[in-house]
Amino acid sequence: MVVAVVGCGAVGSLFAANLATLDDVEVWAFDLAREHVDAINRDGLRLTGAGEVTGRVRATTDAAELPSCDFGIVATKAMHTDRAVAATAHAFANGCVATVQNGIGNEEVLARHVERVIRGTTFPAGKIVAPGVVQWDVKGDTTLGPFEERPAPFEQVERLADACSRGGMPTKAVEDARGPQWRKVIFNAATNPLGALTGLTHGRVCEQPALRRLASQLVDEGKAVADAQGIVLDADPEELIDYAARPEVAYDHKASMLQDVEARRQTEVDFLNGGIAGFGGRLGVPTPTHQTIHALVKGVEASW
Amino acid sequence: MVVAVVGCGAVGSLFAANLATLDDVEVWAFDLAREHVDAINRDGLRLTGAGEVTGRVRATTDAAELPSCDFGIVATKAMHTDRAVAATAHAFANGCVATVQNGIGNEEVLARHVERVIRGTTFPAGKIVAPGVVQWDVKGDTTLGPFEERPAPFEQVERLADACSRGGMPTKAVEDARGPQWRKVIFNAATNPLGALTGLTHGRVCEQPALRRLASQLVDEGKAVADAQGIVLDADPEELIDYAARPEVAYDHKASMLQDVEARRQTEVDFLNGGIAGFGGRLGVPTPTHQTIHALVKGVEASW
């Protein structure tokens, strides 16, 4: 089986390196970071931290080099999806493509370019610490399911989930993957931008009663939008917020959006609060707080 | 007539220096900035820019030195009102005290310490450029009126307004000064924190359609709170927002709250969005957007 990871940043690398430990899987990585690609080809792709893994991965900055693949795993930042999938779609003409990205709306973008799409949500996290080397910060589960509008066959979803699990990334195949995805997007949209706008870590956001209430307001609006689509969340995002605020979990964690703001990189807010507000608009569910937060973060981006 | 300006920063200095040009007014200034006070006593208080004025002002950092005054003009940042007026109240035992500060709720604080209170709103602005020297950026009108709960006699309000006008600060005495005050506080609360949270100047905030809509949402909530009190705004804050966005007015102006955030100084948000939300809460008028903005700016302050 041949798998190509599209966007071999922190999360993409976790999939690529772990899958590459399997004898029956050939792993390719498409990424535009030349140094990272060269290091992977020279020394292998190395994970440290929550797991020590070095995987033999064939990396390239040239999409034309990708062979015909059984599966794609898209792990770019959400705003780069369209360009990355347009460039690599030829490799998936006979395959299925999963997204494990943050936010909502990514499957719709994949479906513009490829035939068989897998909706995915993943919790593991890390960061690139040197070319070819990724620190694996947090282990966690992944959920995959057919994307309703352009579904991959369920047995193919199961086949990819099985390979990921065997490779060291516990993954479940489910008929409806929207519940875990909306739980995660609601969690992210309710907490990441509050860190990004205030400069506070996750734990400190939760300690400010007015900010914690604001997070709950964002959760409530997000739940209403999920509910209007008949999506049953697999757990309450509120629990995840309080759990993550514990000192031993992610009290000191700077949300990825805060990291983006500090580095003056475009954020994923369009796919988090903007995504929820967009679905809300189409469904007639009011999301004034997500709209406010979205406008403020876009304003921050405009100030650079 | 003896007048003491309490808090001789930029706005306080405009009043102090202009009043000091009158032969029939003795002007004192109470301020805690030692260098500024020394420079004023040595060289006079000097204004440059929109007007060139040097006024002979007796300045002190010691409230006990203040003589018995006919009038006080409080011009501290809103969060310092209570301490400053508590320290100086003895000087106003037989006098009237006006606030020309930003935000709402200042009169209530004055009324804890002095008997006769004047509600005030002022538009002139400037900044201290050196000890004893203030750049006068913007000319504008001032409105004074008796504070309903502890009113100064109207003829005293007129007497102070007349002195200010003769001194070069055009000032009107009115029976109900709430309209101009709420127009200004709504304007400030709808624009200052958007600049502070995004880093954008006033003009650039207004150019982002989503932020301009957010400003209108804040204006609408503010108008509803004013309306519930029977306050008739003297003009629409929306007009002021668009007027200020012109290149020749304040397109490039960084809101004072943005200046505070950049300097990591406590902001006046408690007296702007927090003030409107507080009145809204007591009156049963929903102000969810002001509450969101208030929580975010307090979060920024907590991050320092």
Side-chain angles (χ1 to χ4, degrees):
Chain A
M1 154 176 163
V2 183
V3 179
V5 170
V6 176
C8 197
V11 168
S13 293
L14 299 181
F15 281 93
N18 280 303
L19 281 168
T21 62
L22 299 174
D23 290 337
D24 59 337
V25 181
E26 174 184 330
V27 181
W28 284 75
F30 169 69
D31 199 274
L32 297 179
R34 163 67 62 188
E35 281 200 319
H36 187 48
V37 162
D38 289 346
I40 293 171
N41 286 328
R42 194 179 56 236
D43 307 321
L45 176 55
R46 200 172 129 222
L47 310 182
T48 62
E52 301 286 332
V53 178
T54 301
R56 200 175 158 281
V57 172
R58 301 177 68 170
T60 180
T61 59
D62 178 5
E65 285 190 0
L66 291 178
S68 175
C69 297
D70 300 290
F71 293 101
I73 297 176
V74 179
T76 64
K77 289 265 182 186
M79 51 280 191
H80 303 137
T81 311
D82 194 56
R83 218 172 35 180
V85 180
T88 56
H90 63 88
F92 310 116
N94 303 306
C96 303
V97 183
T99 164
V100 293
Q101 298 163 283
N102 273 336
I104 44 181
N106 296 301
E107 291 80 4
E108 285 77 0
V109 178
L110 266 57
R112 283 188 222 144
H113 304 286
V114 297
E115 292 296 324
R116 288 161 296 275
V117 176
I118 299 173
R119 186 190 285 282
T121 301
T122 194
F123 279 89
K127 53 178 168 288
I128 296 183
V129 289
V133 186
V134 168
Q135 183 178 309
W136 191 351
D137 285 331
V138 187
K139 291 205 171 191
D141 293 337
T142 300
T143 311
L144 301 177
F147 174 53
E148 300 70 22
E149 295 172 25
R150 285 214 157 183
F154 193 68
E155 63 273 18
Q156 294 299 313
V157 179
E158 285 181 311
R159 203 177 145 213
L160 179 60
D162 173 66
C164 291
S165 295
R166 285 188 293 119
M169 298 283 280
T171 301
K172 260 188 304 194
V174 301
E175 291 286 355
D176 184 350
R178 297 177 307 164
Q181 188 177 45
W182 276 78
R183 173 170 60 111
K184 188 179 182 198
V185 77
I186 291 171
F187 167 76
N188 280 337
T191 56
N192 279 11
L194 305 192
L197 288 167
T198 62
L200 295 170
T201 65
H202 179 74
R204 298 216 48 219
V205 163
C206 293
E207 278 172 1
Q208 307 283 321
L211 286 179
R212 185 63 187 81
R213 275 196 302 276
L214 180 53
S216 289
Q217 233 172 286
L218 291 162
V219 168
D220 289 345
E221 290 180 7
K223 282 179 180 171
V225 175
D227 199 50
Q229 297 168 83
I231 295 171
V232 180
L233 301 183
D234 59 339
D236 192 338
E238 290 282 358
E239 287 167 19
L240 198 56
I241 293 174
D242 290 331
Y243 174 75
R246 295 189 194 171
E248 71 277 19
V249 184
Y251 179 93
D252 286 323
H253 178 67
K254 283 188 177 181
S256 63
M257 199 184 290
L258 173 53
Q259 297 179 39
D260 289 339
V261 165
E262 288 182 342
R264 303 199 157 197
R265 276 191 303 257
Q266 196 189 343
T267 73
E268 293 185 306
V269 73
D270 286 340
F271 297 84
L272 296 173
N273 306 83
I276 291 173
F279 273 88
R282 290 189 286 281
L283 294 159
V285 178
T287 57
T289 318
H290 285 283
Q291 288 174 309
T292 294
I293 295 295
H294 184 234
L296 289 170
V297 176
K298 296 308 281 184
V300 171
E301 292 179 4
S303 77
W304 300 331
Chain B
M1 152 177 165
V2 183
V3 179
V5 170
V6 176
C8 197
V11 168
S13 293
L14 299 182
F15 281 93
N18 281 303
L19 282 168
T21 62
L22 299 174
D23 290 338
D24 59 335
V25 181
E26 175 184 332
V27 182
W28 284 75
F30 169 70
D31 199 275
L32 297 179
R34 163 68 61 189
E35 281 200 320
H36 187 48
V37 162
D38 289 346
I40 293 171
N41 286 328
R42 194 178 57 237
D43 307 322
L45 176 56
R46 199 172 130 223
L47 310 183
T48 64
E52 301 287 333
V53 178
T54 301
R56 200 175 158 281
V57 172
R58 300 179 67 171
T60 179
T61 59
D62 178 5
E65 287 191 359
L66 292 178
S68 174
C69 295
D70 300 290
F71 293 102
I73 297 176
V74 179
T76 64
K77 288 264 182 188
M79 50 280 190
H80 303 135
T81 310
D82 194 56
R83 217 171 35 178
V85 180
T88 55
H90 62 89
F92 310 116
N94 303 307
C96 303
V97 183
T99 162
V100 292
Q101 299 163 281
N102 272 335
I104 44 181
N106 296 301
E107 292 81 4
E108 286 77 0
V109 178
L110 265 58
R112 284 187 222 143
H113 304 287
V114 297
E115 292 296 324
R116 288 160 296 276
V117 175
I118 300 174
R119 186 191 285 281
T121 301
T122 194
F123 279 90
K127 52 179 169 288
I128 297 183
V129 289
V133 186
V134 169
Q135 183 177 309
W136 191 352
D137 285 331
V138 187
K139 292 207 168 189
D141 293 336
T142 300
T143 311
L144 301 177
F147 174 52
E148 301 69 23
E149 295 171 26
R150 287 214 154 184
F154 192 69
E155 62 274 17
Q156 294 299 315
V157 179
E158 286 182 310
R159 202 176 146 216
L160 179 60
D162 174 65
C164 291
S165 295
R166 285 189 293 120
M169 298 283 281
T171 301
K172 263 190 302 195
V174 300
E175 290 286 356
D176 184 350
R178 297 178 304 164
Q181 188 176 46
W182 276 78
R183 172 170 61 112
K184 189 178 181 198
V185 78
I186 291 171
F187 167 77
N188 280 337
T191 56
N192 279 12
L194 306 193
L197 288 167
T198 62
L200 295 170
T201 65
H202 179 74
R204 296 215 50 218
V205 164
C206 293
E207 279 172 1
Q208 308 281 321
L211 287 178
R212 185 64 188 78
R213 277 196 301 277
L214 179 53
S216 289
Q217 232 172 287
L218 291 162
V219 167
D220 289 345
E221 290 180 7
K223 282 178 179 171
V225 175
D227 199 51
Q229 298 168 82
I231 295 171
V232 180
L233 301 182
D234 60 338
D236 192 336
E238 290 281 357
E239 286 167 19
L240 198 55
I241 293 174
D242 291 330
Y243 174 76
R246 294 189 197 174
E248 71 278 19
V249 185
Y251 179 92
D252 285 322
H253 179 67
K254 283 188 177 182
S256 64
M257 198 183 289
L258 172 53
Q259 295 179 39
D260 289 340
V261 164
E262 288 182 342
R264 302 198 159 199
R265 278 191 302 257
Q266 197 189 341
T267 73
E268 294 185 306
V269 73
D270 285 340
F271 297 82
L272 296 174
N273 306 84
I276 290 173
F279 274 87
R282 292 189 285 282
L283 295 159
V285 178
T287 57
T289 318
H290 285 283
Q291 288 174 306
T292 293
I293 295 294
H294 184 233
L296 289 170
V297 176
K298 296 308 282 184
V300 171
E301 292 179 4
S303 76
W304 299 331

